[in-house]
Amino acid sequence: MKRIVTVQDISCVGKCSLTVALPIISAMGVETAIIPTAVLSTHTMFSEFTCKDLTDQITPITEHWKRAGLGFDAIYTGYLGSFEQIDLMIKLFSDFKTEGSVTFVDPAMADNGKLYPAFDEAFAKKMASLCAVADIIVPNITEACFMTGTEYRTEYDEAYVKALLKKLAALGAKICILTGVSFEEGKTGVMGYDSEKDEYFHYCHKKHSRSYHGTGDIFSSTCIGGIMNGLSWKDASVLAADYTAECIRLTIEDPDGNDYGVNFEQAIPMLVERLSK
Ligand code: PXL
């Protein structure tokens, strides 16, 4: 059985970060170790939230794991809260990365042209330094723009996205997967770039009428879970995009659906079924 470690916050209510990564990756048959970076009452898109930082726990946890001889097939980082946490992730990669393992970074910090409330442009540049040492990165277009100093546009063509992917690859990551790429009204999807093969990949599907928080985390968790199940990064991206879209569809159709997160739980059977095919 594969084992991964994922490092992100616990937003107690909000269906994002660890409260989606842990169930999704576990449901995909992959042991999921965690390092919680902070405990928040809700994610930061609520008008108020509490936050207890856990940065001081990261090194004691990883030092114990070294003494215990623990290793991981993948290291997946998500929402991080400070420069210090990013430095600790760079150290985590250098301490735990092995030849066959995958380092996977979701630079969760922005969307729709704006940084999340806790962050500024300097943080985005710091996040770029973590992306530089990762095998696979999965930013959305906003995050990619902040990390590469590119103008954010709501309307763009393939040349703009390809140039953005090249700039991301120039940071240092081997495979860059951009989410929320839409070339056509009513459609959205992903466009990826393998810098070693100089190869692009595009997949699109129906765009739903609403968007929700936490869907980037759902995409990332499914993508790394798929890779741990032996899928190529392209097939894992397709599975992750389809699962995320299905979670959104189910939420829109649910009269009791939350507006802070998606009904990812109800789509887990579809995810597991797709993996067994
Ligand atoms: O990736 C979404 C996310 C994760 N964690 C926290 C957040 C958000 C989005 O706002 O606030 C704490």
Side-chain angles (χ1 to χ4, degrees):
M1 193 169 171
K2 299 269 189 192
R3 181 201 287 140
I4 90 162
V5 57
T6 181
V7 189
Q8 24 190 335
D9 68 278
I10 299 176
S11 290
C12 298
V13 168
K15 302 212 233 188
C16 65
S17 40
L18 282 183
T19 64
V20 300
L22 194 45
I24 290 172
I25 302 168
S26 299
M28 296 175 87
V30 178
E31 180 183 342
T32 312
I34 61 167
I35 302 181
T37 53
V39 182
L40 293 86
S41 53
T42 63
H43 60 55
T44 63
M45 305 313 276
F46 279 71
S47 57
E48 66 161 306
F49 54 89
T50 68
C51 180
K52 169 75 178 164
D53 182 81
L54 297 174
T55 306
D56 66 358
Q57 294 302 302
I58 296 175
T59 301
I61 290 170
T62 55
E63 288 302 311
H64 173 204
W65 287 353
K66 279 192 218 164
R67 290 193 299 279
L70 289 164
F72 303 97
D73 298 294
I75 306 170
Y76 154 34
T77 69
Y79 184 102
L80 300 170
S82 63
F83 280 53
E84 188 184 353
Q85 287 186 354
I86 292 175
D87 284 331
L88 287 167
M89 292 308 101
I90 294 170
K91 178 155 183 351
L92 182 74
F93 286 3
S94 80
D95 287 353
F96 283 88
K97 164 99 179 139
T98 57
E99 207 168 294
S101 72
V102 180
T103 48
F104 186 98
V105 173
D106 179 351
M109 60 184 169
D111 207 357
N112 299 313
K114 288 198 191 110
L115 287 157
Y116 294 153
F119 305 127
D120 60 16
E121 288 190 22
F123 184 84
K125 288 278 150 57
K126 182 76 183 173
M127 188 60 96
S129 72
L130 178 60
C131 288
V133 293
D135 295 318
I136 305 179
I137 61 172
V138 286
N140 59 36
I141 292 190
T142 305
E143 290 155 350
C145 286
F146 277 110
M147 289 196 293
T148 58
T150 306
E151 183 202 358
Y152 174 78
R153 290 198 209 149
T154 48
E155 280 179 24
Y156 46 76
D157 56 9
E158 200 174 290
Y160 172 86
V161 177
K162 283 187 167 174
L164 196 50
L165 282 164
K166 282 236 168 180
K167 285 197 223 173
L168 284 172
L171 296 175
K174 289 191 201 92
I175 292 167
C176 307
I177 305 171
L178 266 177
T179 59
V181 176
S182 171
F183 295 123
E184 223 184 301
E185 181 97 12
K187 298 231 163 176
T188 188
V190 298
M191 187 154 185
Y193 178 62
D194 180 332
S195 61
E196 281 173 352
K197 295 188 177 149
D198 192 28
E199 196 177 88
Y200 292 94
F201 170 72
H202 176 48
Y203 174 68
C204 75
H205 54 81
K206 181 178 183 282
K207 182 174 182 168
H208 291 292
S209 57
R210 286 197 58 185
S211 61
Y212 295 87
H213 299 301
T215 49
D217 301 341
I218 288 170
F219 177 89
S220 297
S221 301
T222 313
C223 189
I224 188 63
I227 291 167
M228 289 295 101
N229 272 273
L231 299 184
S232 68
W233 67 269
K234 297 176 190 174
D235 289 344
S237 301
V238 171
L239 177 65
D242 287 347
Y243 174 62
T244 307
E246 178 64 1
C247 294
I248 295 171
R249 185 187 71 78
L250 287 163
T251 315
I252 292 172
E253 287 182 1
D254 179 1
D256 299 321
N258 300 302
D259 56 7
Y260 55 73
V262 291
N263 293 15
F264 78 94
E265 302 90 339
Q266 293 175 319
I268 282 181
M270 166 262 189
L271 176 61
V272 173
E273 194 187 320
R274 278 273 294 261
L275 264 186
S276 64
K277 274 187 188 154

